[in-house]
Amino acid sequence: AQSVTQLDSHVSVSEGTPVLLRCNYSSSYSPSLFWYVQHPNKGLQLLLKYTSAATLVKGINGFEAEFKKSETSFHLTKPSAHMGDAAEYFCVVSENYQLIWGAGTKLIIKP
Amino acid sequence: NAGVTQTPKFQVLKTGQSMTLQCAQDMNHEYMSWYRQDPGMGLRLIHYSVGAGITDQGEVPNGYNVSRSTTEDFPLRLLSAAPSQTSVYFCASSYGGNTEAFFGQGTRLTVV
């Protein structure tokens, strides 16, 4: 059965420094992987997706993620954090018409 | 571009009451689903549908019913509300199960 583990419930970085949000997954097949973002009291927005093409995936707002099959990881990165990046981020794996969600990582940006 | 529309945005129910959360999409997506979001738990799948007339259970289906009579609409019914159903509910649609999901704005439900 597939599962998703987000390794940090909270990540705190200073504005202008790099962001790393970690995600590991387990899947029986070749998965589709996504990162979604949820700003406070808002809906969910797709940041980026991996669907077995290039292993380095670029998303919106300067985010990118690298699919590493050998490590079963799909970590999300951004070179320089902005205050507007403060939100909760979800790593998601998709198989057989079902999306399996990680518990989320809350990104805190310090001025 | 309406996308996925959920109503209501907020609802307070008394224990034992029933209600229906509405969800409609205008993108002609075959796949629709309902999730609940609780603190620290991400989103959990309640029910999903791969097309009109076809529904199936997700991870946490107890206490909820769904139907899919048209491609556009996928209502979620709470049969007899319980405090454990206090949550934020999201409806989503997509072309298929492995493609990008588009979400409604959510319904914050409180059961007292």
Side-chain angles (χ1 to χ4, degrees):
Chain A
Q2 58 272 49
S3 65
V4 178
T5 302
Q6 291 184 243
L7 296 164
D8 306 290
S9 59
H10 294 79
V11 169
S12 180
V13 301
S14 296
E15 191 175 18
T17 64
V19 174
L20 170 64
L21 305 184
R22 298 181 295 165
C23 173
N24 287 112
Y25 70 93
S26 68
S27 174
S28 303
Y29 308 101
S30 295
S32 293
L33 294 158
F34 307 84
W35 277 97
Y36 282 83
V37 61
Q38 185 177 33
H39 287 93
N41 299 313
K42 294 289 180 71
L44 291 141
Q45 182 183 21
L46 180 70
L47 270 182
L48 51 81
K49 61 183 177 183
Y50 167 79
T51 54
S52 74
T55 56
L56 183 62
V57 182
K58 294 189 183 299
I60 62 172
N61 300 334
F63 284 93
E64 61 183 36
E66 186 171 8
F67 173 69
K68 292 187 176 180
K69 187 174 183 179
S70 60
E71 298 176 10
T72 60
S73 69
F74 191 55
H75 301 334
L76 182 70
T77 60
K78 182 172 181 177
S80 176
H82 297 141
M83 294 303 292
D85 295 329
E88 190 155 21
Y89 293 78
F90 294 95
C91 182
V92 183
V93 62
S94 176
E95 273 187 24
N96 299 325
Y97 293 104
Q98 296 202 22
L99 295 180
I100 307 299
W101 292 69
T105 298
K106 192 158 290 185
L107 179 61
I108 299 160
I109 312 294
K110 297 177 290 187
Chain B
N1 291 339
V4 179
T5 303
Q6 267 183 255
T7 55
K9 288 188 177 179
F10 301 94
Q11 183 71 50
V12 179
L13 288 178
K14 294 182 179 179
T15 297
Q17 285 185 316
S18 62
M19 78 158 295
T20 299
L21 307 184
Q22 301 292 342
C23 177
Q25 53 93 7
D26 62 359
M27 296 172 282
N28 202 32
H29 286 166
E30 290 296 325
Y31 184 76
M32 296 186 74
S33 53
W34 277 101
Y35 295 88
R36 60 177 289 171
Q37 183 179 26
D38 301 294
M41 299 186 74
L43 271 69
R44 292 182 292 169
L45 182 65
I46 303 171
H47 286 283
Y48 66 100
S49 169
V50 300
I54 306 169
T55 63
D56 206 346
Q57 297 180 351
E59 180 185 356
V60 288
N62 292 341
Y64 308 94
N65 271 359
V66 292
S67 59
R68 185 94 179 272
S69 56
T70 67
T71 298
E72 294 77 20
D73 300 299
F74 191 45
L76 177 73
R77 279 180 285 278
L78 279 71
L79 308 173
S80 177
S84 60
Q85 294 178 303
T86 293
S87 188
V88 180
Y89 291 85
F90 287 98
C91 177
S93 75
S94 62
Y95 285 112
N98 293 343
T99 59
E100 175 187 358
F102 294 82
F103 287 85
Q105 286 300 298
T107 298
R108 187 174 294 274
L109 176 68
T110 302
V111 183
V112 298

CSV table of all heavy atoms in Angstrom, one decimal, chain B residues 13-64:
chain,number,residue,atom,x,y,z
B,13,LEU,N,-23.9,22.3,12.9
B,13,LEU,CA,-25.0,21.3,13.0
B,13,LEU,C,-25.1,20.8,14.5
B,13,LEU,O,-24.1,20.8,15.2
B,13,LEU,CB,-24.7,20.1,12.2
B,13,LEU,CG,-24.9,20.2,10.7
B,13,LEU,CD1,-24.5,18.9,10.0
B,13,LEU,CD2,-26.3,20.6,10.3
B,14,LYS,N,-26.3,20.4,14.9
B,14,LYS,CA,-26.4,19.8,16.1
B,14,LYS,C,-26.3,18.3,15.9
B,14,LYS,O,-26.6,17.7,14.8
B,14,LYS,CB,-27.8,20.0,16.7
B,14,LYS,CG,-28.0,21.5,17.1
B,14,LYS,CD,-29.4,21.7,17.7
B,14,LYS,CE,-29.5,23.2,18.1
B,14,LYS,NZ,-30.9,23.5,18.7
B,15,THR,N,-25.8,17.6,16.9
B,15,THR,CA,-25.6,16.1,16.9
B,15,THR,C,-26.9,15.5,16.4
B,15,THR,O,-28.0,15.8,17.0
B,15,THR,CB,-25.2,15.6,18.2
B,15,THR,OG1,-23.9,16.2,18.6
B,15,THR,CG2,-25.1,14.1,18.2
B,16,GLY,N,-26.8,14.6,15.5
B,16,GLY,CA,-28.0,13.9,15.0
B,16,GLY,C,-28.7,14.5,13.8
B,16,GLY,O,-29.4,13.8,13.1
B,17,GLN,N,-28.4,15.8,13.5
B,17,GLN,CA,-28.9,16.4,12.3
B,17,GLN,C,-28.3,15.8,11.0
B,17,GLN,O,-27.1,15.3,11.1
B,17,GLN,CB,-28.7,17.9,12.3
B,17,GLN,CG,-29.6,18.6,13.3
B,17,GLN,CD,-29.5,20.1,13.2
B,17,GLN,OE1,-28.4,20.7,13.1
B,17,GLN,NE2,-30.6,20.8,13.2
B,18,SER,N,-28.9,15.9,9.9
B,18,SER,CA,-28.4,15.5,8.6
B,18,SER,C,-28.2,16.8,7.7
B,18,SER,O,-28.9,17.8,8.0
B,18,SER,CB,-29.3,14.5,7.9
B,18,SER,OG,-30.5,15.1,7.7
B,19,MET,N,-27.3,16.7,6.8
B,19,MET,CA,-27.2,17.8,5.8
B,19,MET,C,-26.4,17.3,4.6
B,19,MET,O,-25.8,16.2,4.6
B,19,MET,CB,-26.5,19.0,6.4
B,19,MET,CG,-25.0,18.8,6.5
B,19,MET,SD,-24.1,20.4,6.6
B,19,MET,CE,-24.5,21.2,5.1
B,20,THR,N,-26.5,18.1,3.6
B,20,THR,CA,-25.8,17.8,2.3
B,20,THR,C,-24.8,18.9,2.0
B,20,THR,O,-25.2,20.1,1.9
B,20,THR,CB,-26.8,17.5,1.2
B,20,THR,OG1,-27.6,16.4,1.5
B,20,THR,CG2,-26.0,17.2,-0.1
B,21,LEU,N,-23.6,18.5,1.7
B,21,LEU,CA,-22.6,19.5,1.2
B,21,LEU,C,-22.6,19.3,-0.3
B,21,LEU,O,-22.5,18.2,-0.9
B,21,LEU,CB,-21.2,19.1,1.7
B,21,LEU,CG,-21.0,19.0,3.2
B,21,LEU,CD1,-19.5,18.8,3.6
B,21,LEU,CD2,-21.5,20.2,4.0
B,22,GLN,N,-22.7,20.5,-1.0
B,22,GLN,CA,-22.8,20.5,-2.4
B,22,GLN,C,-21.5,20.7,-3.1
B,22,GLN,O,-20.6,21.5,-2.5
B,22,GLN,CB,-23.8,21.6,-2.9
B,22,GLN,CG,-25.2,21.5,-2.3
B,22,GLN,CD,-25.9,20.3,-2.9
B,22,GLN,OE1,-25.6,19.7,-3.9
B,22,GLN,NE2,-27.0,19.9,-2.2
B,23,CYS,N,-21.3,20.1,-4.2
B,23,CYS,CA,-20.0,20.2,-5.0
B,23,CYS,C,-20.4,20.2,-6.4
B,23,CYS,O,-21.1,19.2,-6.9
B,23,CYS,CB,-19.0,19.2,-4.6
B,23,CYS,SG,-17.5,19.3,-5.6
B,24,ALA,N,-19.9,21.1,-7.2
B,24,ALA,CA,-20.2,21.2,-8.6
B,24,ALA,C,-18.9,21.6,-9.3
B,24,ALA,O,-18.2,22.5,-8.9
B,24,ALA,CB,-21.3,22.1,-9.0
B,25,GLN,N,-18.6,21.0,-10.5
B,25,GLN,CA,-17.5,21.4,-11.3
B,25,GLN,C,-17.9,21.6,-12.8
B,25,GLN,O,-18.8,20.9,-13.2
B,25,GLN,CB,-16.3,20.4,-11.2
B,25,GLN,CG,-16.7,18.9,-11.5
B,25,GLN,CD,-16.5,18.5,-12.9
B,25,GLN,OE1,-15.9,19.2,-13.7
B,25,GLN,NE2,-16.9,17.3,-13.2
B,26,ASP,N,-17.3,22.5,-13.4
B,26,ASP,CA,-17.7,22.8,-14.8
B,26,ASP,C,-16.5,22.5,-15.8
B,26,ASP,O,-16.5,23.1,-16.9
B,26,ASP,CB,-18.1,24.3,-14.9
B,26,ASP,CG,-17.0,25.3,-14.5
B,26,ASP,OD1,-15.9,24.8,-14.2
B,26,ASP,OD2,-17.2,26.5,-14.6
B,27,MET,N,-15.7,21.6,-15.4
B,27,MET,CA,-14.5,21.3,-16.3
B,27,MET,C,-14.7,19.9,-17.0
B,27,MET,O,-13.7,19.5,-17.6
B,27,MET,CB,-13.2,21.3,-15.4
B,27,MET,CG,-12.9,22.6,-14.8
B,27,MET,SD,-11.6,22.6,-13.6
B,27,MET,CE,-12.4,22.0,-12.2
B,28,ASN,N,-15.8,19.3,-16.9
B,28,ASN,CA,-16.1,18.0,-17.5
B,28,ASN,C,-15.2,16.9,-17.0
B,28,ASN,O,-14.8,16.0,-17.8
B,28,ASN,CB,-16.1,18.2,-19.0
B,28,ASN,CG,-16.9,17.1,-19.7
B,28,ASN,OD1,-17.9,16.6,-19.2
B,28,ASN,ND2,-16.4,16.6,-20.9
B,29,HIS,N,-14.8,17.0,-15.7
B,29,HIS,CA,-13.9,16.0,-15.2
B,29,HIS,C,-14.7,14.8,-14.8
B,29,HIS,O,-15.8,14.9,-14.3
B,29,HIS,CB,-13.2,16.6,-13.9
B,29,HIS,CG,-12.1,17.5,-14.2
B,29,HIS,ND1,-11.6,18.4,-13.2
B,29,HIS,CD2,-11.5,17.9,-15.3
B,29,HIS,CE1,-10.7,19.1,-13.8
B,29,HIS,NE2,-10.6,18.9,-15.0
B,30,GLU,N,-14.1,13.6,-15.1
B,30,GLU,CA,-14.7,12.4,-14.8
B,30,GLU,C,-14.6,12.0,-13.3
B,30,GLU,O,-15.4,11.5,-12.6
B,30,GLU,CB,-14.2,11.2,-15.6
B,30,GLU,CG,-14.6,11.3,-17.1
B,30,GLU,CD,-16.1,11.1,-17.3
B,30,GLU,OE1,-16.7,10.3,-16.5
B,30,GLU,OE2,-16.6,11.7,-18.2
B,31,TYR,N,-13.4,12.4,-12.7
B,31,TYR,CA,-13.1,12.0,-11.4
B,31,TYR,C,-13.4,13.1,-10.4
B,31,TYR,O,-13.0,14.2,-10.6
B,31,TYR,CB,-11.6,11.6,-11.3
B,31,TYR,CG,-11.1,11.1,-10.0
B,31,TYR,CD1,-11.4,9.8,-9.6
B,31,TYR,CD2,-10.4,11.9,-9.1
B,31,TYR,CE1,-11.0,9.3,-8.4
B,31,TYR,CE2,-10.0,11.4,-7.9
B,31,TYR,CZ,-10.3,10.1,-7.5
B,31,TYR,OH,-9.8,9.6,-6.3
B,32,MET,N,-14.2,12.7,-9.3
B,32,MET,CA,-14.5,13.7,-8.3
B,32,MET,C,-14.3,13.0,-6.9
B,32,MET,O,-14.4,11.7,-6.8
B,32,MET,CB,-15.9,14.2,-8.4
B,32,MET,CG,-16.1,15.1,-9.6
B,32,MET,SD,-17.7,15.9,-9.7
B,32,MET,CE,-17.5,17.2,-8.5
B,33,SER,N,-14.0,13.7,-5.9
B,33,SER,CA,-13.7,13.1,-4.6
B,33,SER,C,-14.0,14.1,-3.5
B,33,SER,O,-14.1,15.3,-3.7
B,33,SER,CB,-12.2,12.7,-4.5
B,33,SER,OG,-11.4,13.8,-4.9
B,34,TRP,N,-14.2,13.5,-2.3
B,34,TRP,CA,-14.4,14.3,-1.1
B,34,TRP,C,-13.3,13.9,-0.1
B,34,TRP,O,-13.1,12.7,0.1
B,34,TRP,CB,-15.8,14.0,-0.5
B,34,TRP,CG,-16.9,14.8,-1.1
B,34,TRP,CD1,-17.8,14.4,-2.0
B,34,TRP,CD2,-17.2,16.2,-0.8
B,34,TRP,NE1,-18.7,15.4,-2.3
B,34,TRP,CE2,-18.3,16.5,-1.5
B,34,TRP,CE3,-16.7,17.1,0.1
B,34,TRP,CZ2,-18.9,17.8,-1.5
B,34,TRP,CZ3,-17.3,18.4,0.1
B,34,TRP,CH2,-18.4,18.7,-0.6
B,35,TYR,N,-12.8,14.9,0.6
B,35,TYR,CA,-11.8,14.8,1.6
B,35,TYR,C,-12.2,15.5,2.8
B,35,TYR,O,-12.9,16.5,2.8
B,35,TYR,CB,-10.4,15.3,1.2
B,35,TYR,CG,-9.8,14.7,0.0
B,35,TYR,CD1,-10.1,15.1,-1.3
B,35,TYR,CD2,-8.9,13.6,0.2
B,35,TYR,CE1,-9.5,14.5,-2.4
B,35,TYR,CE2,-8.3,13.0,-0.9
B,35,TYR,CZ,-8.6,13.4,-2.2
B,35,TYR,OH,-8.0,12.8,-3.3
B,36,ARG,N,-11.7,15.0,4.0
B,36,ARG,CA,-11.8,15.8,5.2
B,36,ARG,C,-10.4,16.1,5.7
B,36,ARG,O,-9.4,15.3,5.5
B,36,ARG,CB,-12.6,15.1,6.3
B,36,ARG,CG,-12.1,13.8,6.7
B,36,ARG,CD,-12.9,13.2,7.9
B,36,ARG,NE,-12.8,14.0,9.1
B,36,ARG,CZ,-13.5,13.8,10.2
B,36,ARG,NH1,-14.5,12.9,10.2
B,36,ARG,NH2,-13.3,14.5,11.3
B,37,GLN,N,-10.2,17.3,6.2
B,37,GLN,CA,-8.9,17.8,6.7
B,37,GLN,C,-9.0,18.1,8.2
B,37,GLN,O,-9.8,18.9,8.6
B,37,GLN,CB,-8.4,19.0,5.9
B,37,GLN,CG,-7.0,19.5,6.4
B,37,GLN,CD,-6.6,20.7,5.6
B,37,GLN,OE1,-7.4,21.5,5.1
B,37,GLN,NE2,-5.3,20.8,5.5
B,38,ASP,N,-8.2,17.3,8.9
B,38,ASP,CA,-8.1,17.5,10.4
B,38,ASP,C,-6.7,17.9,10.7
B,38,ASP,O,-5.7,17.5,10.0
B,38,ASP,CB,-8.5,16.2,11.1
B,38,ASP,CG,-9.9,15.8,10.7
B,38,ASP,OD1,-10.9,16.6,11.1
B,38,ASP,OD2,-10.1,14.8,10.1
B,39,PRO,N,-6.5,18.7,11.8
B,39,PRO,CA,-5.1,19.2,12.1
B,39,PRO,C,-4.1,18.0,12.3
B,39,PRO,O,-4.4,17.0,12.9
B,39,PRO,CB,-5.4,19.9,13.5
B,39,PRO,CG,-6.8,20.3,13.4
B,39,PRO,CD,-7.5,19.2,12.7
B,40,GLY,N,-3.0,18.2,11.6
B,40,GLY,CA,-1.9,17.2,11.7
B,40,GLY,C,-2.1,15.9,11.0
B,40,GLY,O,-1.3,15.0,11.2
B,41,MET,N,-3.2,15.9,10.2
B,41,MET,CA,-3.4,14.6,9.5
B,41,MET,C,-3.5,14.7,8.0
B,41,MET,O,-3.9,13.7,7.3
B,41,MET,CB,-4.7,14.0,10.0
B,41,MET,CG,-4.7,13.7,11.5
B,41,MET,SD,-6.2,12.9,12.1
B,41,MET,CE,-5.9,11.2,11.5
B,42,GLY,N,-3.2,15.8,7.4
B,42,GLY,CA,-3.4,15.9,6.0
B,42,GLY,C,-4.8,15.8,5.6
B,42,GLY,O,-5.7,15.9,6.4
B,43,LEU,N,-5.0,15.4,4.3
B,43,LEU,CA,-6.4,15.1,3.8
B,43,LEU,C,-6.6,13.6,3.8
B,43,LEU,O,-5.8,12.9,3.4
B,43,LEU,CB,-6.5,15.7,2.4
B,43,LEU,CG,-7.0,17.2,2.4
B,43,LEU,CD1,-5.9,18.1,2.9
B,43,LEU,CD2,-7.4,17.6,0.9
B,44,ARG,N,-7.8,13.3,4.2
B,44,ARG,CA,-8.2,11.9,4.1
B,44,ARG,C,-9.4,11.7,3.2
B,44,ARG,O,-10.4,12.5,3.3
B,44,ARG,CB,-8.5,11.3,5.5
B,44,ARG,CG,-7.3,11.2,6.4
B,44,ARG,CD,-7.6,10.6,7.7
B,44,ARG,NE,-8.5,11.5,8.5
B,44,ARG,CZ,-9.1,11.2,9.6
B,44,ARG,NH1,-9.0,9.9,10.1
B,44,ARG,NH2,-9.8,12.0,10.3
B,45,LEU,N,-9.3,10.7,2.3
B,45,LEU,CA,-10.3,10.5,1.3
B,45,LEU,C,-11.6,9.8,1.9
B,45,LEU,O,-11.5,8.8,2.6
B,45,LEU,CB,-9.8,9.6,0.2
B,45,LEU,CG,-10.7,9.3,-1.0
B,45,LEU,CD1,-11.0,10.6,-1.8
B,45,LEU,CD2,-10.0,8.3,-1.9
B,46,ILE,N,-12.7,10.4,1.7
B,46,ILE,CA,-14.0,9.9,2.2
B,46,ILE,C,-14.7,9.0,1.2
B,46,ILE,O,-14.9,7.8,1.4
B,46,ILE,CB,-15.0,11.1,2.6
B,46,ILE,CG1,-14.3,12.0,3.6
B,46,ILE,CG2,-16.3,10.5,3.2
B,46,ILE,CD1,-15.1,13.3,3.8
B,47,HIS,N,-15.0,9.6,0.0
B,47,HIS,CA,-15.6,8.9,-1.1
B,47,HIS,C,-15.1,9.4,-2.4
B,47,HIS,O,-14.7,10.6,-2.4
B,47,HIS,CB,-17.1,9.0,-1.1
B,47,HIS,CG,-17.8,8.2,-0.1
B,47,HIS,ND1,-18.0,6.8,-0.2
B,47,HIS,CD2,-18.4,8.6,1.1
B,47,HIS,CE1,-18.7,6.4,0.9
B,47,HIS,NE2,-19.0,7.4,1.7
B,48,TYR,N,-15.1,8.7,-3.4
B,48,TYR,CA,-14.7,9.2,-4.7
B,48,TYR,C,-15.6,8.6,-5.8
B,48,TYR,O,-16.3,7.6,-5.6
B,48,TYR,CB,-13.2,8.9,-5.0
B,48,TYR,CG,-12.8,7.5,-5.2
B,48,TYR,CD1,-12.7,6.9,-6.4
B,48,TYR,CD2,-12.6,6.7,-4.1
B,48,TYR,CE1,-12.3,5.6,-6.6
B,48,TYR,CE2,-12.2,5.4,-4.2
B,48,TYR,CZ,-12.0,4.8,-5.4
B,48,TYR,OH,-11.6,3.5,-5.6
B,49,SER,N,-15.5,9.2,-7.0
B,49,SER,CA,-16.3,8.7,-8.1
B,49,SER,C,-15.5,8.8,-9.4
B,49,SER,O,-14.8,9.9,-9.6
B,49,SER,CB,-17.6,9.6,-8.3
B,49,SER,OG,-18.2,9.3,-9.5
B,50,VAL,N,-15.5,7.8,-10.2
B,50,VAL,CA,-14.7,7.8,-11.5
B,50,VAL,C,-15.6,8.2,-12.7
B,50,VAL,O,-15.1,8.1,-13.8
B,50,VAL,CB,-14.0,6.5,-11.7
B,50,VAL,CG1,-13.0,6.3,-10.6
B,50,VAL,CG2,-14.9,5.3,-11.8
B,51,GLY,N,-16.9,8.5,-12.4
B,51,GLY,CA,-17.8,8.9,-13.5
B,51,GLY,C,-19.2,8.8,-13.0
B,51,GLY,O,-19.5,8.3,-11.9
B,52,ALA,N,-20.1,9.4,-13.8
B,52,ALA,CA,-21.5,9.4,-13.4
B,52,ALA,C,-22.0,8.0,-13.1
B,52,ALA,O,-21.8,7.1,-13.9
B,52,ALA,CB,-22.3,10.1,-14.5
B,53,GLY,N,-22.7,7.8,-12.0
B,53,GLY,CA,-23.3,6.5,-11.7
B,53,GLY,C,-22.3,5.6,-10.9
B,53,GLY,O,-22.7,4.5,-10.5
B,54,ILE,N,-21.1,6.0,-10.7
B,54,ILE,CA,-20.0,5.1,-10.1
B,54,ILE,C,-19.4,5.8,-8.9
B,54,ILE,O,-18.9,6.9,-9.1
B,54,ILE,CB,-18.9,4.8,-11.1
B,54,ILE,CG1,-19.5,4.2,-12.4
B,54,ILE,CG2,-17.9,3.8,-10.5
B,54,ILE,CD1,-18.5,4.1,-13.5
B,55,THR,N,-19.6,5.2,-7.7
B,55,THR,CA,-18.9,5.8,-6.6
B,55,THR,C,-18.2,4.7,-5.8
B,55,THR,O,-18.6,3.5,-6.0
B,55,THR,CB,-19.9,6.5,-5.6
B,55,THR,OG1,-20.9,5.5,-5.1
B,55,THR,CG2,-20.7,7.6,-6.3
B,56,ASP,N,-17.3,5.0,-5.0
B,56,ASP,CA,-16.6,4.0,-4.2
B,56,ASP,C,-16.1,4.7,-2.9
B,56,ASP,O,-16.0,5.9,-2.8
B,56,ASP,CB,-15.4,3.5,-4.9
B,56,ASP,CG,-15.0,2.1,-4.5
B,56,ASP,OD1,-15.5,1.6,-3.4
B,56,ASP,OD2,-14.3,1.4,-5.2
B,57,GLN,N,-15.8,3.9,-1.9
B,57,GLN,CA,-15.4,4.3,-0.6
B,57,GLN,C,-13.9,4.6,-0.6
B,57,GLN,O,-13.1,4.0,-1.2
B,57,GLN,CB,-15.7,3.3,0.5
B,57,GLN,CG,-17.2,3.0,0.6
B,57,GLN,CD,-17.5,2.0,1.7
B,57,GLN,OE1,-16.6,1.4,2.2
B,57,GLN,NE2,-18.7,1.8,2.1
B,58,GLY,N,-13.5,5.6,0.2
B,58,GLY,CA,-12.2,5.9,0.5
B,58,GLY,C,-11.7,5.4,1.8
B,58,GLY,O,-12.2,4.4,2.3
B,59,GLU,N,-10.9,6.2,2.4
B,59,GLU,CA,-10.3,5.7,3.7
B,59,GLU,C,-11.2,5.9,4.9
B,59,GLU,O,-11.2,5.0,5.8
B,59,GLU,CB,-9.0,6.6,4.0
B,59,GLU,CG,-8.3,6.3,5.2
B,59,GLU,CD,-7.1,7.2,5.5
B,59,GLU,OE1,-6.8,8.1,4.6
B,59,GLU,OE2,-6.4,7.1,6.5
B,60,VAL,N,-12.1,6.9,4.9
B,60,VAL,CA,-12.9,7.2,6.1
B,60,VAL,C,-14.4,7.4,5.6
B,60,VAL,O,-14.9,8.5,5.8
B,60,VAL,CB,-12.4,8.4,6.9
B,60,VAL,CG1,-11.1,8.0,7.6
B,60,VAL,CG2,-12.2,9.6,5.9
B,61,PRO,N,-15.1,6.4,5.1
B,61,PRO,CA,-16.4,6.6,4.6
B,61,PRO,C,-17.6,6.5,5.6
B,61,PRO,O,-18.7,7.0,5.2
B,61,PRO,CB,-16.5,5.4,3.6
B,61,PRO,CG,-15.7,4.3,4.3
B,61,PRO,CD,-14.6,5.0,5.0
B,62,ASN,N,-17.3,6.0,6.8
B,62,ASN,CA,-18.4,5.8,7.7
B,62,ASN,C,-19.1,7.1,8.1
B,62,ASN,O,-18.5,8.1,8.5
B,62,ASN,CB,-17.9,5.1,9.0
B,62,ASN,CG,-17.5,3.7,8.6
B,62,ASN,OD1,-17.9,3.1,7.6
B,62,ASN,ND2,-16.7,3.1,9.5
B,63,GLY,N,-20.4,7.1,8.0
B,63,GLY,CA,-21.2,8.3,8.4
B,63,GLY,C,-21.5,9.2,7.2
B,63,GLY,O,-22.2,10.2,7.4
B,64,TYR,N,-21.0,8.8,6.0
B,64,TYR,CA,-21.2,9.7,4.8
B,64,TYR,C,-21.8,8.9,3.7
B,64,TYR,O,-21.4,7.7,3.5
B,64,TYR,CB,-19.9,10.3,4.4
B,64,TYR,CG,-19.1,11.0,5.5
B,64,TYR,CD1,-18.1,10.3,6.2
B,64,TYR,CD2,-19.3,12.4,5.7
B,64,TYR,CE1,-17.4,11.0,7.2
B,64,TYR,CE2,-18.6,13.0,6.7
B,64,TYR,CZ,-17.6,12.3,7.4
B,64,TYR,OH,-16.8,13.0,8.4
